[in-house]
């Protein structure tokens, strides 16, 4: 059986999101922000973050190909759903659940930069810098974590566990099923 070990309880996540929102409110004061969440993993983080933002906010989403049932990146990124909003000339904040190899974020930020936003920054809830394959650093980061596979608070394993309010380390079963 897989085993879940608490990494971050709900209250710790919520407190940190309050701090991130305060920074973003300060940095973008008086400007309209286009917040683009990366589906599916960022949907809960984005929902909690935008409710603490004080400037005018427009929300949009992109969907990219995920790892499927596997837990490690294939390095192949495919856009399954593009932004619906026009990006050109806007202040864009790309919201990600976790930066791992960095391949998804590098690809998406280059793709969106080509649409010429006034500014593009990245906000991630979690960062696993140990596994980085490309040179990319989020502008806003909730927590830097060691190289564990984590689930909960929007993050999945084979589409499960997204609904858990906290973040957990997923320990594979004895048979090495993961
Ligand atoms: P990257 O392209 O390797 O940076 O992978 C980023 C994406 O992989 C994230 O948006 C997640 O969907 C997924 N991912 C990476 N690490 C984890 C993890 O520990 N748990 C759940 N999903 C993860």
């Amino acid at each position: 059986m897989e085993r879940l070990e608490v990494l971050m309880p709900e209250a710790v996540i919520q407190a940190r999101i309050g701090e991130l929102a305060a920074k973003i409110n300060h940095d973008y004061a008086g400007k309209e922000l286009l917040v683009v969440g990366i589906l599916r993993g960022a949907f809960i983080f984005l929902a909690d973050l935008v409710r603490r933002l004080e400037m005018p906010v427009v929300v949009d989403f992109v969907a990219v190909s995920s790892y499927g049932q596997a837990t490690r990146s294939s390095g192949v990124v495919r856009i399954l759903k593009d932004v619906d909003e026009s990006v050109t000339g806007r202040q864009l904040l790309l919201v990600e659940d976790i930066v791992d190899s960095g391949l998804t974020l590098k690809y998406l930020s280059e793709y969106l930069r080509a649409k010429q936003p006034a500014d593009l920054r990245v906000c991630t809830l979690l960062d696993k810098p140990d596994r980085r394959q490309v040179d990319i650093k989020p502008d806003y980061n909730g927590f830097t974590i060691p190289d564990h596979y984590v689930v909960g608070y929007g993050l999945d394993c084979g589409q499960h566990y997204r609904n858990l309010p906290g973040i957990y380390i997923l320990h594979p079963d004895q048979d090495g099923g993961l």
Side-chain angles (χ1 to χ4, degrees):
M1 276 293 288
E2 295 165 357
R3 190 168 59 81
L4 299 181
E5 179 193 346
V6 182
L7 181 64
M8 269 150 220
E10 189 177 3
V12 172
I13 301 169
Q14 294 300 331
R16 182 63 182 138
I17 293 175
E19 293 174 359
L20 287 177
K23 279 191 209 164
I24 295 168
N25 282 327
H26 172 267
D27 293 354
Y28 291 93
K31 295 176 178 162
E32 183 183 278
L33 195 56
L34 175 60
V35 178
V36 176
I38 305 176
L39 295 173
R40 299 178 202 172
F43 78 110
I44 293 181
F45 175 43
L46 181 141
D48 282 343
L49 182 70
V50 293
R51 279 179 286 180
R52 291 177 167 97
L53 297 182
E54 290 161 0
M55 72 290 284
V57 164
V58 173
V59 173
D60 201 350
F61 291 96
V62 290
V64 293
S65 55
S66 73
Y67 300 172
Q69 299 299 308
T71 57
R72 293 303 187 208
S73 178
S74 59
V76 178
V77 180
R78 207 157 47 93
I79 294 184
L80 305 176
K81 182 216 165 290
D82 205 340
V83 277
D84 293 318
E85 292 292 318
S86 165
V87 163
T88 312
R90 314 223 2 216
Q91 310 282 337
L92 196 158
L93 184 67
L94 194 53
V95 175
E96 175 66 301
D97 54 355
I98 184 165
V99 185
D100 188 23
S101 70
L103 290 163
T104 306
L105 209 52
K106 186 171 177 7
Y107 179 85
L108 259 185
S109 51
E110 280 172 9
Y111 175 78
L112 291 169
R113 271 207 181 88
K115 295 178 186 275
Q116 300 188 312
D119 180 60
L120 191 159
R121 292 190 195 173
V122 171
C123 177
T124 186
L125 179 64
L126 303 172
D127 189 6
K128 276 200 280 197
D130 293 351
R131 290 179 33 86
R132 200 69 97 252
Q133 289 178 31
V134 289
D135 184 22
I136 195 156
K137 198 173 174 300
D139 301 282
Y140 305 96
N141 171 31
F143 304 95
T144 298
I145 63 165
D147 180 15
H148 294 300
Y149 196 84
V150 292
V151 295
Y153 198 74
L155 292 116
D156 77 310
C157 182
Q159 298 306 334
H160 290 101
Y161 305 118
R162 292 194 199 272
N163 56 312
L164 301 177
I167 295 172
Y168 298 81
I169 298 171
L170 182 69
H171 294 288
D173 60 26
Q174 301 297 353
D175 310 330
L178 269 176

